[in-house]
Amino acid sequence: MIKRSLLLAGLLIFASIFQLRADEGMWLPMLIKRLNQRNLKEMGLQLTPEEIYSVNNSSLKDAIVSMGGFCTGEMISGQGLMLTNHHCGFDAIRENSTVEDDYLTNGFWAMNMKEELPNEGLFVSFLVRMEDVTAQMNEALEGLETEVDRNAKIAEMSRAIADQAEEGNGYDAEVKSFYAGNEFYLFVYERFTDVRLVGAPPQSVGKFGGDTDNWMWPRHTGDFSLFRVYAGPDGKPAEYSPDNVPLVPKHHLPVSIRGIEEGDFTLTFGFPGSTDRYLTSWGVEQALEKKNPTIVSIRDVKLDVLRKDMKADDAVRLMYASKFAQIANYWKYFIGQTEQLKHLDVKSEKEALEQKFQAWADADPERKAKYGDALEMIRTGFEMKDNTVIGGTYVIEGGLTGADAVLQTYRLTQAFNALMGMDEGPDREGLKDRLKPAAAEFFEETHMPTDQKLFAVTQKLYAENVDADQQPAYMQEMGETDWDAYAKKVYSESIFTDSQRLSDFIDNPDSAAFADDPMRKIATDLFEVYSGQSALNAEANAMLAKGTRLFQAGLREMMPEKEFYPDANSTLRASLGNVRAYEPKDGVVYKYYTTLDGKMAKEDPDDDEFIVPEGISALYDARDYGQYADADGNLPVNFISTNDITGGNSGSPVINGQGELIGLAFDGNWEAMSGDINFEPSVQRTISVDVRYVLWVIDKYADAGHLIDEMTLVTDKKSSKKARKNAFKN
Ligand code: ARG
């Protein structure tokens, strides 16, 4: 990286003051054309909208995949090599690990394609095309009065449109609602199911800082892992087979190690899961007062149990590593969201917008008729639900998913009812044959003594914190109880909590024993509370849906000059930003990047969140950074930018103005934890791994330089030009 001259640096500061902020917004790629192209150019984007999204020519979108529907990945070679986060590959790494070959702890590197590890159930999807089907949908919805009729029609039409788009091409299609049901788009995907693990650093790199650093900046995490997508010999999706070949993607991202500077343009491209940017003040209030603290307190007790049992036994640690990470990630998320909703006084901001909206609606008779009641509908909807929020959160977080045996029992209950209703014969034997392995798998993934503890602590909390009339029947009947003793009794008696008892039952289903089973009754009663709640809330939910749809439509009419972006819904979105420092609090500035020196300063061999592997320390001691060092001779680790992302974007590429990969997005920051509800331009940042750190770990630490040889490396102006020329030819 060449140091910019002082003059240029001066110009940059000047430019940044007058810069138009385009960072808020998760844009549908086909709508990027609508954004002011001159502004984007000024931000530093050199690609054309066609180069970002095109149906007929290869474009950036052809390098981006939805990974398993929960994360994002990108193609970084012409042989299907895919980069994503370590926390996205976490469960695949865990599943391939044993206590003896613990890839989570030690890392994993395939030194050739033969060593790459298949992952059952994992898939990636490329977006083939998308299409606005709003007109078609609205025509079909014309005249439907109730939300029930509307939803039924939307489901029916969505299926019909998707079926048509899937005809004769092997693609997967779906229609999704945008702006709370004001617009509808069709998405057509090509899904590949042979996705193999290629490389992963040890957890002490990939999850360095653990839960302490999670959702925080400054950060020093090498949150990446590598996979390879395989296709059948014809290049089309195929189930795993040793005969499959690496996929040749339509586009792969060149990888730039030229470095970044403050103000540089950044584009993130990925599959954000969900946001609630149009949530009203009443929704904020309910999250603050009821929903968030309830989720946090239930997760607190679960994490305590898991922490102890995982520490005591390595097999249990591996079994629960992903479950723990998932619970802990959103436990901390909700703590942060609550803190920042308060600190940034998001409720007042929402109220101000609501007042403005109401005044605008009331100022014109026609508008008043259309939008005048929207906010009142929303307010009433939240009010009607207020009493059941805590009970409703408990039945899910503390009941049905409190201990794993509960949900498993609920699932099996339906199958067992079918089994007991069947006559002797081949159908019945066939069902038994299918149930056995499914049941066995559950016991492989669940440590019953741990599950029993989870059950005891969540039941106790449930009984203490939910009004009796909202408790499940068995809990109401029991009144005050010793929950440890009760858990012990249930787990020692139930068919569903012991693999031998369960497999005996499948061999000889006995309906009397089934009817008497304590876990069966628990699961059934909990599900009854759950479905009773949705019935109870049907009217409130319909009001919320209609009110929100009108509110969003009205807002767009009220501010016609503003381009509104739709809430995230797991569809492909682009977000435009710049590399940028921020002030977390008065008098403090956080730089835009961190280095290996900072990681070494955090090292603590006695704290498993802050261990530094031997190989990394040795390279650090030798300052062996190769071509990956920055201009000052430091090794960059993480950086921040103003892009607008959320969960699901994890693994998204951070792309520079020339379309080259410079980083890998993996987190948001603490000061903006309320960001899913209200974007905070001054403090909201995307945290990314610098791609130079990724390559350094692969090259120097793992000695897997053959993977780097596969990539299109950009090291200077000339190679950048060449990569650009080769990228989008068609
Ligand atoms: N907060 C990150 C996200 O939701 C996950 C980071 C995983 N790391 C961790 N220490 N749990 O995308």
Side-chain angles (χ1 to χ4, degrees), residues 527-565:
F527 190 75
E528 209 152 278
V529 173
Y530 174 73
S531 44
Q533 284 237 347
S534 356
L536 205 68
N537 286 327
E539 198 192 334
N541 287 336
M543 276 202 201
L544 284 172
K546 185 168 181 187
T548 307
R549 188 165 68 247
L550 288 167
F551 182 44
Q552 293 197 19
L555 280 174
R556 293 171 81 187
E557 213 175 295
M558 179 171 101
M559 293 179 251
E561 71 294 344
K562 187 172 159 163
E563 236 355 294
F564 279 84
Y565 61 94

Side-chain angles (χ1 to χ4, degrees), residues 700-716:
K700 297 279 180 179
Y701 170 78
D703 240 331
H706 61 285
L707 295 172
I708 295 178
D709 296 340
E710 269 186 52
M711 303 173 194
T712 304
L713 217 57
V714 168
T715 54
D716 55 14

Side-chain angles (χ1 to χ4, degrees), residues 70-71 85-88 90 206-216 219 221 223 324-326 328-330 332-333 609 645-651 665-668 673:
F70 58 87
C71 270
N85 288 147
H86 183 268
H87 78 263
C88 295
F90 197 83
K207 203 182 168 175
F208 183 77
D211 292 314
T212 304
D213 276 8
N214 192 15
W215 301 110
M216 300 273 193
R219 194 68 159 275
T221 309
D223 197 345
F324 183 91
Q326 261 172 31
N329 191 29
Y330 275 80
K332 194 166 176 185
Y333 171 96
E609 292 185 326
I645 67 163
T646 190
N649 265 118
S650 283
F666 72 96
D667 212 355
M673 288 301 282

Side-chain angles (χ1 to χ4, degrees), residues 21-40:
R21 304 218 75 113
D23 29 30
E24 175 171 4
M26 302 173 172
W27 306 100
L28 279 164
M30 72 179 269
L31 302 184
I32 285 182
K33 308 195 261 302
R34 278 197 205 162
L35 300 175
N36 184 331
Q37 294 303 315
R38 209 168 56 90
N39 286 355
L40 299 188

Side-chain angles (χ1 to χ4, degrees), residues 644-701:
D644 185 1
I645 67 163
T646 190
N649 265 118
S650 283
S652 291
V654 185
I655 298 167
N656 66 14
Q658 291 81 259
E660 300 152 359
L661 184 75
I662 54 172
L664 182 61
F666 72 96
D667 212 355
N669 60 328
W670 191 252
E671 294 77 11
M673 288 301 282
S674 49
D676 283 346
I677 293 174
N678 208 41
F679 189 85
E680 302 289 346
S682 65
V683 290
Q684 191 153 340
R685 295 293 181 268
T686 286
I687 304 177
S688 303
V689 196
D690 193 303
V691 82
R692 290 170 292 180
Y693 187 56
V694 172
L695 297 195
W696 178 78
V697 171
I698 296 173
D699 186 353
K700 297 279 180 179
Y701 170 78

Side-chain angles (χ1 to χ4, degrees), residues 10-270:
L11 276 176
L12 253 172
I13 292 164
F14 181 79
S16 68
I17 293 168
F18 291 94
Q19 194 154 45
L20 289 139
R21 304 218 75 113
D23 29 30
E24 175 171 4
M26 302 173 172
W27 306 100
L28 279 164
M30 72 179 269
L31 302 184
I32 285 182
K33 308 195 261 302
R34 278 197 205 162
L35 300 175
N36 184 331
Q37 294 303 315
R38 209 168 56 90
N39 286 355
L40 299 188
K41 235 186 173 141
E42 266 164 33
M43 283 180 83
L45 176 64
Q46 293 180 19
L47 301 176
T48 63
E50 266 293 288
E51 285 174 319
I52 295 174
Y53 175 85
S54 164
V55 175
N56 300 315
N57 298 315
S58 72
S59 56
L60 273 192
K61 79 140 178 36
D62 296 313
I64 318 298
V65 294
S66 161
M67 179 190 181
F70 58 87
C71 270
T72 302
E74 52 276 355
M75 296 291 117
I76 54 168
S77 90
Q79 302 178 71
L81 189 62
M82 179 182 101
L83 182 64
T84 187
N85 288 147
H86 183 268
H87 78 263
C88 295
F90 197 83
D91 200 49
I93 304 164
R94 183 195 69 84
E95 283 220 42
N96 281 299
S97 295
T98 58
V99 173
E100 297 74 39
D101 277 315
D102 182 350
Y103 302 141
L104 223 41
T105 303
N106 305 316
F108 169 79
W109 304 96
M111 284 304 162
N112 54 60
M113 287 188 189
K114 285 214 163 51
E115 290 178 7
E116 295 171 359
L117 301 171
N119 297 285
E120 212 189 312
L122 187 58
F123 65 87
V124 301
S125 300
F126 289 86
L127 178 64
V128 178
R129 66 184 180 92
M130 58 177 291
E131 190 185 323
D132 186 351
V133 295
T134 309
Q136 203 178 340
M137 190 68 91
N138 280 344
E139 198 180 317
L141 294 174
E142 181 83 35
L144 296 183
E145 291 294 329
T146 69
E147 290 301 302
V148 176
D149 289 349
R150 241 184 96 89
N151 289 339
K153 191 54 148 188
I154 290 170
E156 176 199 322
M157 283 291 292
S158 298
R159 201 53 259 161
I161 295 170
D163 282 348
Q164 200 183 2
E166 284 174 357
E167 232 166 66
N169 52 26
Y171 293 151
D172 289 316
E174 62 174 357
V175 171
K176 288 234 172 166
S177 150
F178 289 77
Y179 303 102
N182 285 298
E183 291 185 14
F184 298 87
Y185 288 79
L186 164 72
F187 296 84
V188 180
Y189 297 101
E190 187 167 39
R191 173 189 287 205
F192 290 84
T193 51
D194 186 352
V195 183
R196 303 184 197 169
L197 180 63
V198 174
Q203 194 169 218
S204 51
V205 171
K207 203 182 168 175
F208 183 77
D211 292 314
T212 304
D213 276 8
N214 192 15
W215 301 110
M216 300 273 193
W217 180 258
R219 194 68 159 275
H220 302 85
T221 309
D223 197 345
F224 79 94
S225 60
L226 292 160
F227 289 78
R228 192 184 304 280
V229 181
Y230 281 79
D234 59 355
K236 295 262 174 269
E239 287 303 313
Y240 170 81
S241 155
D243 302 331
N244 284 350
V245 296
L247 172 75
V248 179
K250 283 210 224 78
H251 180 60
H252 68 268
L253 299 175
V255 178
S256 171
I257 57 169
R258 296 177 73 195
I260 50 174
E261 290 188 12
E262 180 140 32
D264 281 358
F265 173 80
T266 50
L267 164 74
T268 55
F269 215 174

